Amino acid sequence: MKGSTKNSEEKIVKTICFSCRGGCGVFLHIKNNEIIRVEGDPEHPGSKGTLCPKGLAVKQLTHHPDRLKYPLRRVGKRGEGKWERISWDQAYDEIATKLQEIKEKYGAEAIVQGIGTGRNHNDWSARFCNHLGTPNANDPMHFCIGPRCVAGYLTFGIPAPLDPHYNATNCLVAWGRNEIHSHPSNGRYIFDAFERGAKLIVVDPRLTKLASRADLWLQVRPGGDSALALAWMNVIIGEELYDKEFVAKWCYGFDKLKEHVKKYTPEWAEPITWIPADKIREAARLYATTKPACIAPGVAVEQQMNSWQTQRALYMMAALTGNIDVPGGNILWVPPLGGFFLNCDNDVLPPEQRAKAIEGGCKLNGGHEWGPPNFVLEGPPLWDAILTGKPYPVKAIMWMAHNPMVGLPNTKAVKEALEKIEFLVVGDFFMTPTTEMADIVLPNATWPERSEVGWFTTPLEHPQFWDKDEFPVFAWVKAVQVGEAKQELEIYNELAKRLKIDGFWDTMEEAFDFLLKPVGVTWEEFKKVGIIRKPMIWRKYEHGLFHTPSGKFEFYSERVKELGYPPMPEYVEGPESPISASTIARSYPLVLITGSRIPVFYHTDQRNIPWLREVYPEPLIEIHPDTAAKYGIKEGDWVWIETKRGRVKQKAKITLSIDARVVHAVRWWYPEKPGPDHGIWESSINVVTLDSPYDPAMGSPTMRGLLCKIYKVEEEK
Amino acid sequence: MVKYGLLVDFDRCQGCNACEVACKQENELPVGPRLKQVLTLGPEKVGRRLIMEYLPVMCMHCENPPCAAACPVGAIVKDEHGITLVNGKKCHDTDKDFCKKACIPACPYPVPPQYNPEKDIVQMCNMCMQRVGRGEEPSCVKHCINKVIKFGPIKELSKIIQERGNRTITIGGVLPNVVCRPSVMYIPAKIPYTLE
């Protein structure tokens, strides 16, 4: 027995990393309720024992000294940073009482409830809204993945992305998606494909490693994506490079599309995209003639005007070339259970409540069209309702894992609205610029502190799981507890009890059993197995995949036309570009892009994790050497980046990776200082990005392709 | 005794820094010392192309390590596997005003011995011998997503080098490989760039 005492204190818990949404397999080594180390799980079918830096640094996240450990109630003025500790029971009672009061006085629609990133709680959040009776669920899908889902729904009848299948592809088009930094765990599948000779085409205004290695790098002008996609279709159809059999059998509206794209020649696109016509042709030909080929569509095109129509155009290219749902093409995720919005109970929300959603005229941002709950348009329409009471007052917001003071465009507008909200509840890991504005702050659990049926641990992020032709769902198993942190599901359960609304459970285990029911196992059983697999079915269109009015893949959509939007993708210039806003461009001559992924950070998180911040310590703006010389800027200088909304400063990184007419500023930068603002006004780029006008159908703001000027920060004396 | 080495197939490196953080965790390092680092090379213009590479670098485990030669108390030694090791106690007990951390400037490569102020010692990659002894791979090797870094007996790694046309690439650019004879080797890309 001697010697085993030490070992018996240390236990190893097999679970799933959720430092991003990837869901890699891990072993957590635990001692005295503390993570000692994390190791990759070699048996995990996706990550195969590897991990990315975000997962490897998890002990510094979970056990960070600044973690929120207890519920807090505001005692000073809003945003002043004075708090007192309260119990969970007090927090639940106060939240429930206040929400009930507001619901009775103003109607349930006066309550906005929602999320930022999904920590496996997207459906619970929407479910809570539906049972509460508010149509104003929020989920920032309007500029992240929503356009892909809408495009999917209206084009082939499934509200989900068509994801690239790297494992078997012979040609990869990375379109505004730097996969190796946004989903590092997918990297090996791309490099494996490349080393076996697959062609690589990269559409990106920045030179990334993939662009550097590409057969063709199209350095597109930020905002030129829709023009480029239309020009590709012009070439693919004009030169008859399309898959005639697939198009004839499975597609609707080809003749209209053929006619439609005639005018979008590469020569027409050249001045709009800044890409020579010959190169556009070459790329379109390479994509269309290499089989199978896949497009990796990225968030870059979703943070622009015309977001969903451009994604739709990319799907259309996949259909034109017959690359839909075939190995190595663009394929559709069908999980063993769950999936986007399947557990939201949308039907319980009465139609008259649905109709009240504050959607800013955007008929596609959630709701009635493509299956999810109604989404409030989290931007000017919501802020206006808070500030002016029109179309009706919004009095309360409850956010779980959401930090709009950093994550949403035009920070000043967000702050003005939050200052005026009557009741704000925010749950997160740390005090953020958003929790600082709250009345009640709730401590949320990091992934080692939670058990989950990981249906949102998605193959969506991990197409490589599909190399085994299967879709797994994983069990996350709780390993530690920090303070009184709780996961969102438990919070919703407790609030639902007090609000006397249906749809929730006494315990989380009951909810897990509910989720697992379709596959006939219980949580207790699932926890032990850890994985549920389901085989892939290829070419699902042969089994009725296309749930569209025509039953086919629709190049031309009557439904979109009925909704008042163009039935086929068109070229739309962004609201603030050198082409659309030449007057502004005289004062703000450079094109600004923001938001590229840094592999050590996930969304607004992790800039306070020592091992991660050490890798990327300072906010950097990338400037071409010629531009830097023109403005007298040297490497490492602090530089003001000014738009019509204001200015922030970042440090100059002078590099050939960017066009001389464009600068790239790193996104979402905080914390730099203690609260309440945590220094967001200094370097967080969303202080200067644009929330309006937004995409008229989807509500997507413009965070890529704005106009700015830059100048050196002069030393203050 | 078998000599160990690391082989870096850096064309596959995606610059995700997993190896760097894996190393921080394994060695329980504070902010400051970075035994493993991923450098960005370029972008620079080569022919008509812009080329950018990521390069994972660490102690090169030279056969004749200049750092060891520079240490006045002999705290850096080579073990029987060819691994360069710091004798932590000796290093800790040495007055740094006396030794002036001479090992650091003596290193001709991008990641010289790293000073850890918490322990008052210099540290460097030891190829995770504590893990290798348990039958595991070094942490950076295990966790590297793209399998950029390979660990093993130099004899076996040499086979991979032969498959790649018997070429390795010198990094650092200061001293030729023949002087230091590093056990960390860099091999050229499997598919060369087309420089039209």
Side-chain angles (χ1 to χ4, degrees), chain B residues 152-178:
Chain B
I154 288 186
K155 265 190 186 165
E156 281 176 30
L157 298 178
S158 302
K159 286 180 202 155
I160 303 173
I161 296 171
Q162 276 168 11
E163 284 165 21
R164 289 286 169 92
N166 216 10
R167 284 193 304 133
T168 58
I169 288 172
T170 307
I171 69 146
V174 184
L175 288 177
N177 278 354
V178 281

mmCIF file of all heavy atoms in Angstrom, chain B residues 152-178:
data_model
loop_
_atom_site.group_PDB
_atom_site.id
_atom_site.type_symbol
_atom_site.label_atom_id
_atom_site.label_comp_id
_atom_site.label_asym_id
_atom_site.label_seq_id
_atom_site.Cartn_x
_atom_site.Cartn_y
_atom_site.Cartn_z
ATOM 1 N N GLY B 152 12.980 10.511 -31.747
ATOM 2 C CA GLY B 152 13.415 9.121 -31.819
ATOM 3 C C GLY B 152 14.926 9.026 -31.870
ATOM 4 O O GLY B 152 15.628 10.042 -31.853
ATOM 5 N N PRO B 153 15.418 7.791 -31.961
ATOM 6 C CA PRO B 153 16.858 7.601 -32.135
ATOM 7 C C PRO B 153 17.304 8.262 -33.443
ATOM 8 O O PRO B 153 16.597 8.166 -34.455
ATOM 9 C CB PRO B 153 17.022 6.081 -32.215
ATOM 10 C CG PRO B 153 15.784 5.534 -31.548
ATOM 11 C CD PRO B 153 14.702 6.516 -31.842
ATOM 12 N N ILE B 154 18.422 8.934 -33.418
ATOM 13 C CA ILE B 154 18.891 9.653 -34.605
ATOM 14 C C ILE B 154 18.985 8.712 -35.807
ATOM 15 O O ILE B 154 18.678 9.093 -36.928
ATOM 16 C CB ILE B 154 20.230 10.349 -34.307
ATOM 17 C CG1 ILE B 154 19.939 11.545 -33.374
ATOM 18 C CG2 ILE B 154 20.926 10.807 -35.586
ATOM 19 C CD1 ILE B 154 21.110 12.436 -33.087
ATOM 20 N N LYS B 155 19.340 7.470 -35.558
ATOM 21 C CA LYS B 155 19.443 6.487 -36.650
ATOM 22 C C LYS B 155 18.119 6.371 -37.405
ATOM 23 O O LYS B 155 18.086 6.294 -38.630
ATOM 24 C CB LYS B 155 19.802 5.116 -36.081
ATOM 25 C CG LYS B 155 21.283 4.828 -36.111
ATOM 26 C CD LYS B 155 21.503 3.366 -35.760
ATOM 27 C CE LYS B 155 22.987 3.062 -35.639
ATOM 28 N NZ LYS B 155 23.234 1.796 -34.963
ATOM 29 N N GLU B 156 17.027 6.353 -36.622
ATOM 30 C CA GLU B 156 15.718 6.210 -37.278
ATOM 31 C C GLU B 156 15.309 7.493 -37.974
ATOM 32 O O GLU B 156 14.723 7.472 -39.060
ATOM 33 C CB GLU B 156 14.659 5.797 -36.252
ATOM 34 C CG GLU B 156 14.732 4.326 -35.951
ATOM 35 C CD GLU B 156 13.759 3.902 -34.872
ATOM 36 O OE1 GLU B 156 12.693 4.532 -34.752
ATOM 37 O OE2 GLU B 156 14.092 2.940 -34.151
ATOM 38 N N LEU B 157 15.610 8.614 -37.335
ATOM 39 C CA LEU B 157 15.266 9.889 -37.957
ATOM 40 C C LEU B 157 16.035 10.062 -39.267
ATOM 41 O O LEU B 157 15.543 10.658 -40.225
ATOM 42 C CB LEU B 157 15.574 11.045 -36.998
ATOM 43 C CG LEU B 157 14.784 11.048 -35.679
ATOM 44 C CD1 LEU B 157 15.231 12.214 -34.810
ATOM 45 C CD2 LEU B 157 13.279 11.116 -35.916
ATOM 46 N N SER B 158 17.230 9.487 -39.310
ATOM 47 C CA SER B 158 18.042 9.612 -40.524
ATOM 48 C C SER B 158 17.360 8.975 -41.727
ATOM 49 O O SER B 158 17.524 9.411 -42.861
ATOM 50 C CB SER B 158 19.410 8.941 -40.326
ATOM 51 O OG SER B 158 20.052 9.529 -39.238
ATOM 52 N N LYS B 159 16.572 7.948 -41.452
ATOM 53 C CA LYS B 159 15.859 7.291 -42.564
ATOM 54 C C LYS B 159 14.888 8.274 -43.218
ATOM 55 O O LYS B 159 14.746 8.310 -44.438
ATOM 56 C CB LYS B 159 15.087 6.076 -42.046
ATOM 57 C CG LYS B 159 15.974 4.900 -41.728
ATOM 58 C CD LYS B 159 15.118 3.738 -41.212
ATOM 59 C CE LYS B 159 15.965 2.773 -40.386
ATOM 60 N NZ LYS B 159 15.182 2.009 -39.423
ATOM 61 N N ILE B 160 14.213 9.047 -42.367
ATOM 62 C CA ILE B 160 13.264 10.029 -42.912
ATOM 63 C C ILE B 160 14.029 11.093 -43.712
ATOM 64 O O ILE B 160 13.590 11.517 -44.774
ATOM 65 C CB ILE B 160 12.457 10.684 -41.767
ATOM 66 C CG1 ILE B 160 11.736 9.609 -40.954
ATOM 67 C CG2 ILE B 160 11.469 11.707 -42.321
ATOM 68 C CD1 ILE B 160 11.040 10.115 -39.712
ATOM 69 N N ILE B 161 15.203 11.458 -43.195
ATOM 70 C CA ILE B 161 16.006 12.453 -43.907
ATOM 71 C C ILE B 161 16.401 11.908 -45.275
ATOM 72 O O ILE B 161 16.342 12.607 -46.284
ATOM 73 C CB ILE B 161 17.251 12.838 -43.079
ATOM 74 C CG1 ILE B 161 16.805 13.522 -41.778
ATOM 75 C CG2 ILE B 161 18.180 13.744 -43.874
ATOM 76 C CD1 ILE B 161 17.915 13.769 -40.779
ATOM 77 N N GLN B 162 16.747 10.637 -45.321
ATOM 78 C CA GLN B 162 17.118 10.032 -46.611
ATOM 79 C C GLN B 162 15.948 10.059 -47.588
ATOM 80 O O GLN B 162 16.120 10.339 -48.762
ATOM 81 C CB GLN B 162 17.594 8.597 -46.399
ATOM 82 C CG GLN B 162 19.065 8.534 -46.002
ATOM 83 C CD GLN B 162 19.456 7.155 -45.510
ATOM 84 O OE1 GLN B 162 18.711 6.189 -45.648
ATOM 85 N NE2 GLN B 162 20.648 7.074 -44.924
ATOM 86 N N GLU B 163 14.752 9.777 -47.033
ATOM 87 C CA GLU B 163 13.565 9.801 -47.905
ATOM 88 C C GLU B 163 13.348 11.177 -48.518
ATOM 89 O O GLU B 163 12.781 11.309 -49.597
ATOM 90 C CB GLU B 163 12.309 9.419 -47.099
ATOM 91 C CG GLU B 163 12.196 7.945 -46.813
ATOM 92 C CD GLU B 163 11.165 7.652 -45.717
ATOM 93 O OE1 GLU B 163 10.295 8.518 -45.482
ATOM 94 O OE2 GLU B 163 11.257 6.569 -45.104
ATOM 95 N N ARG B 164 13.735 12.198 -47.808
ATOM 96 C CA ARG B 164 13.578 13.571 -48.303
ATOM 97 C C ARG B 164 14.790 14.036 -49.121
ATOM 98 O O ARG B 164 15.056 15.234 -49.215
ATOM 99 C CB ARG B 164 13.383 14.541 -47.139
ATOM 100 C CG ARG B 164 12.073 14.450 -46.427
ATOM 101 C CD ARG B 164 10.937 15.052 -47.234
ATOM 102 N NE ARG B 164 9.672 14.692 -46.616
ATOM 103 C CZ ARG B 164 9.060 15.442 -45.707
ATOM 104 N NH1 ARG B 164 9.563 16.599 -45.363
ATOM 105 N NH2 ARG B 164 7.932 15.047 -45.179
ATOM 106 N N GLY B 165 15.567 13.110 -49.647
ATOM 107 C CA GLY B 165 16.673 13.482 -50.516
ATOM 108 C C GLY B 165 17.934 13.801 -49.739
ATOM 109 O O GLY B 165 18.815 14.512 -50.239
ATOM 110 N N ASN B 166 18.001 13.267 -48.504
ATOM 111 C CA ASN B 166 19.218 13.386 -47.717
ATOM 112 C C ASN B 166 19.643 14.840 -47.485
ATOM 113 O O ASN B 166 20.817 15.175 -47.526
ATOM 114 C CB ASN B 166 20.353 12.613 -48.398
ATOM 115 C CG ASN B 166 21.253 11.974 -47.356
ATOM 116 O OD1 ASN B 166 20.929 11.962 -46.174
ATOM 117 N ND2 ASN B 166 22.381 11.465 -47.797
ATOM 118 N N ARG B 167 18.661 15.712 -47.303
ATOM 119 C CA ARG B 167 19.011 17.111 -47.064
ATOM 120 C C ARG B 167 18.415 17.552 -45.728
ATOM 121 O O ARG B 167 17.291 17.201 -45.384
ATOM 122 C CB ARG B 167 18.451 18.001 -48.167
ATOM 123 C CG ARG B 167 19.244 17.916 -49.458
ATOM 124 C CD ARG B 167 18.862 19.022 -50.405
ATOM 125 N NE ARG B 167 17.417 19.002 -50.676
ATOM 126 C CZ ARG B 167 16.657 20.077 -50.643
ATOM 127 N NH1 ARG B 167 17.169 21.261 -50.328
ATOM 128 N NH2 ARG B 167 15.370 19.996 -50.916
ATOM 129 N N THR B 168 19.168 18.302 -44.990
ATOM 130 C CA THR B 168 18.603 19.018 -43.855
ATOM 131 C C THR B 168 18.894 20.494 -44.072
ATOM 132 O O THR B 168 19.699 20.866 -44.914
ATOM 133 C CB THR B 168 19.182 18.577 -42.503
ATOM 134 O OG1 THR B 168 20.582 18.775 -42.553
ATOM 135 C CG2 THR B 168 18.849 17.143 -42.195
ATOM 136 N N ILE B 169 18.189 21.318 -43.321
ATOM 137 C CA ILE B 169 18.341 22.754 -43.473
ATOM 138 C C ILE B 169 18.981 23.292 -42.217
ATOM 139 O O ILE B 169 18.621 22.896 -41.105
ATOM 140 C CB ILE B 169 16.961 23.392 -43.717
ATOM 141 C CG1 ILE B 169 16.492 23.038 -45.125
ATOM 142 C CG2 ILE B 169 17.006 24.892 -43.509
ATOM 143 C CD1 ILE B 169 15.079 23.438 -45.408
ATOM 144 N N THR B 170 19.938 24.163 -42.369
ATOM 145 C CA THR B 170 20.564 24.768 -41.208
ATOM 146 C C THR B 170 19.741 25.962 -40.765
ATOM 147 O O THR B 170 19.369 26.797 -41.581
ATOM 148 C CB THR B 170 21.974 25.271 -41.563
ATOM 149 O OG1 THR B 170 22.668 24.191 -42.132
ATOM 150 C CG2 THR B 170 22.693 25.761 -40.332
ATOM 151 N N ILE B 171 19.418 26.039 -39.515
ATOM 152 C CA ILE B 171 18.764 27.243 -39.047
ATOM 153 C C ILE B 171 19.724 28.020 -38.161
ATOM 154 O O ILE B 171 20.729 27.499 -37.706
ATOM 155 C CB ILE B 171 17.456 26.959 -38.287
ATOM 156 C CG1 ILE B 171 17.743 26.272 -36.951
ATOM 157 C CG2 ILE B 171 16.476 26.175 -39.114
ATOM 158 C CD1 ILE B 171 16.762 26.683 -35.904
ATOM 159 N N GLY B 172 19.381 29.249 -37.958
ATOM 160 C CA GLY B 172 20.254 30.075 -37.136
ATOM 161 C C GLY B 172 21.190 30.876 -38.012
ATOM 162 O O GLY B 172 21.366 32.068 -37.836
ATOM 163 N N GLY B 173 21.741 30.229 -38.995
ATOM 164 C CA GLY B 173 22.540 30.928 -39.986
ATOM 165 C C GLY B 173 23.856 31.467 -39.444
ATOM 166 O O GLY B 173 24.551 32.213 -40.118
ATOM 167 N N VAL B 174 24.209 31.093 -38.219
ATOM 168 C CA VAL B 174 25.420 31.682 -37.635
ATOM 169 C C VAL B 174 26.591 30.715 -37.750
ATOM 170 O O VAL B 174 27.643 31.048 -38.270
ATOM 171 C CB VAL B 174 25.199 32.063 -36.163
ATOM 172 C CG1 VAL B 174 26.432 32.767 -35.616
ATOM 173 C CG2 VAL B 174 23.978 32.954 -36.030
ATOM 174 N N LEU B 175 26.350 29.523 -37.267
ATOM 175 C CA LEU B 175 27.404 28.525 -37.341
ATOM 176 C C LEU B 175 26.928 27.373 -38.218
ATOM 177 O O LEU B 175 25.779 26.975 -38.144
ATOM 178 C CB LEU B 175 27.710 27.970 -35.952
ATOM 179 C CG LEU B 175 28.451 28.882 -34.982
ATOM 180 C CD1 LEU B 175 28.587 28.186 -33.636
ATOM 181 C CD2 LEU B 175 29.811 29.239 -35.521
ATOM 182 N N PRO B 176 27.809 26.849 -39.016
ATOM 183 C CA PRO B 176 27.404 25.686 -39.811
ATOM 184 C C PRO B 176 27.197 24.471 -38.905
ATOM 185 O O PRO B 176 27.766 24.384 -37.824
ATOM 186 C CB PRO B 176 28.579 25.474 -40.767
ATOM 187 C CG PRO B 176 29.739 26.136 -40.110
ATOM 188 C CD PRO B 176 29.193 27.254 -39.263
ATOM 189 N N ASN B 177 26.386 23.555 -39.371
ATOM 190 C CA ASN B 177 26.060 22.377 -38.582
ATOM 191 C C ASN B 177 27.293 21.614 -38.112
ATOM 192 O O ASN B 177 27.278 20.996 -37.058
ATOM 193 C CB ASN B 177 25.196 21.414 -39.408
ATOM 194 C CG ASN B 177 23.743 21.837 -39.372
ATOM 195 O OD1 ASN B 177 23.383 22.762 -38.646
ATOM 196 N ND2 ASN B 177 22.926 21.178 -40.154
ATOM 197 N N VAL B 178 28.355 21.636 -38.900
ATOM 198 C CA VAL B 178 29.519 20.795 -38.574
ATOM 199 C C VAL B 178 30.157 21.177 -37.251
ATOM 200 O O VAL B 178 30.724 20.336 -36.566
ATOM 201 C CB VAL B 178 30.595 20.847 -39.688
ATOM 202 C CG1 VAL B 178 30.194 19.963 -40.829
ATOM 203 C CG2 VAL B 178 30.892 22.266 -40.126
#
